[in-house]
Amino acid sequence: KQEVTQIPAALSVPEGENLVLNCSFTDSAIYNLQWFRQDPGKGLTSLLLIQSSQREQTSGRLNASLDKSSGRSTLYIAASQPGDSATYLCAVDNFNKFYFGSGTKLNVKP
Amino acid sequence: DTEVTQTPKHLVMGMTNKKSLKCEQHMGHRAMYWYKQKAKKPPELMFVYSYEKLSINESVPSRFSPECPNSSLLNLHLHALQPEDSALYLCASSQGAATGPKNIQYFGAGTRLSVL
């Protein structure tokens, strides 16, 4: 069964810092990897999707990379803002079965 | 419009009650999903419907009964639940596995369920 791990579990940074969140998975036979944001008690908001054939995707201040062969993805957030504070989850698509990591809880201090 | 709507937002039920959760999308998506999320844990896949047929059941107890009456609607019928079933229940939709690597999931805000 696919196992997805996210490091670190929590991160606290001052506003303006660039930061990297990590996601690793055990089964490289994936369709894609998706990064989500979840605010407390809320649903998930899709941030970026990287297809299995892609290496990188960018949206605004966010950049996600994928190294399928090594089972790793990173989410880079540039110039962090207090509004970025949330839990960030990665999920891999194993042919329509989605497995989530436990998330990284990010706190950006003003 | 990338909205997935879930009702109710909150639900409190006793262990002998029967209730239903509802999920709706109008994006023309052909795959719909139910997830269960406990506090401080990631979402866990429960069911997947593809083209209105149940394609994946992740060994969920029979007290949870999914239904997909049409391509826009997904229900989760609840009966004789236990207190440990209290959680956030999330619905998601996507274009479906036929789209392969472009299969983006869109989530609703969830139903917060408390079983007394």
Side-chain angles (χ1 to χ4, degrees):
Chain A
K1 183 183 171 181
Q2 177 76 267
E3 291 187 9
V4 183
T5 305
Q6 288 187 246
I7 295 172
L11 185 61
S12 184
V13 300
E15 181 177 5
E17 268 203 13
N18 302 325
L19 54 100
V20 174
L21 309 181
N22 297 291
C23 172
S24 61
F25 48 95
T26 55
D27 183 356
S28 62
I30 64 171
Y31 264 155
N32 60 53
L33 184 144
Q34 203 167 350
W35 281 94
F36 293 89
R37 167 189 174 135
Q38 186 173 31
D39 293 288
K42 305 289 187 185
L44 280 69
T45 301
S46 178
L47 298 173
L48 287 165
L49 178 140
I50 312 178
Q51 299 176 37
S52 58
S53 59
Q54 296 176 325
R55 302 280 294 184
E56 203 172 305
Q57 276 289 334
T58 298
S59 176
R61 294 182 294 109
L62 305 179
N63 176 280
S65 67
L66 175 64
D67 184 343
K68 201 174 78 157
S69 60
S70 67
R72 292 180 186 173
S73 176
T74 61
L75 179 67
Y76 175 83
I77 303 177
S80 58
Q81 303 171 357
D84 295 331
S85 298
T87 296
Y88 290 79
L89 296 143
C90 65
V92 295
D93 180 357
N94 275 116
F95 310 110
N96 219 31
K97 291 181 74 167
F98 294 85
Y99 297 93
F100 281 81
S102 298
T104 294
K105 187 173 182 179
L106 174 64
N107 178 35
V108 181
K109 298 172 287 187
Chain B
D1 180 14
T2 57
E3 189 169 352
V4 176
T5 305
Q6 289 188 244
T7 55
K9 289 188 175 10
H10 301 275
L11 180 62
V12 180
M13 60 186 291
M15 290 190 283
T16 58
N17 291 158
K18 285 185 181 180
K19 297 285 185 183
S20 296
L21 309 185
K22 181 179 171 182
C23 175
E24 197 166 359
Q25 57 86 17
H26 297 286
M27 295 179 275
H29 288 171
R30 303 315 300 265
M32 296 186 78
Y33 312 80
W34 280 116
Y35 288 86
K36 174 182 178 179
Q37 187 177 27
K38 302 282 277 185
K40 300 186 191 302
K41 297 290 186 183
E44 292 181 359
L45 185 65
M46 299 174 72
F47 302 105
V48 180
Y49 272 83
S50 181
Y51 290 84
E52 297 148 59
K53 291 193 184 333
L54 183 65
S55 60
I56 295 173
N57 177 342
E58 291 287 83
S59 303
V60 179
S62 60
R63 57 186 184 269
F64 295 91
S65 176
E67 178 197 21
C68 190
N70 60 58
S71 60
S72 300
L73 268 177
L74 184 66
N75 298 320
L76 186 63
H77 303 298
L78 314 172
H79 173 56
L81 293 194
Q82 304 296 310
E84 59 265 28
D85 296 322
S86 299
L88 181 67
Y89 287 84
L90 293 163
C91 173
S93 72
S94 72
Q95 288 185 303
T99 58
K102 300 180 184 178
N103 196 21
I104 300 175
Q105 283 193 97
Y106 297 91
F107 279 79
T111 293
R112 176 75 58 192
L113 174 67
S114 297
V115 182
L116 304 179

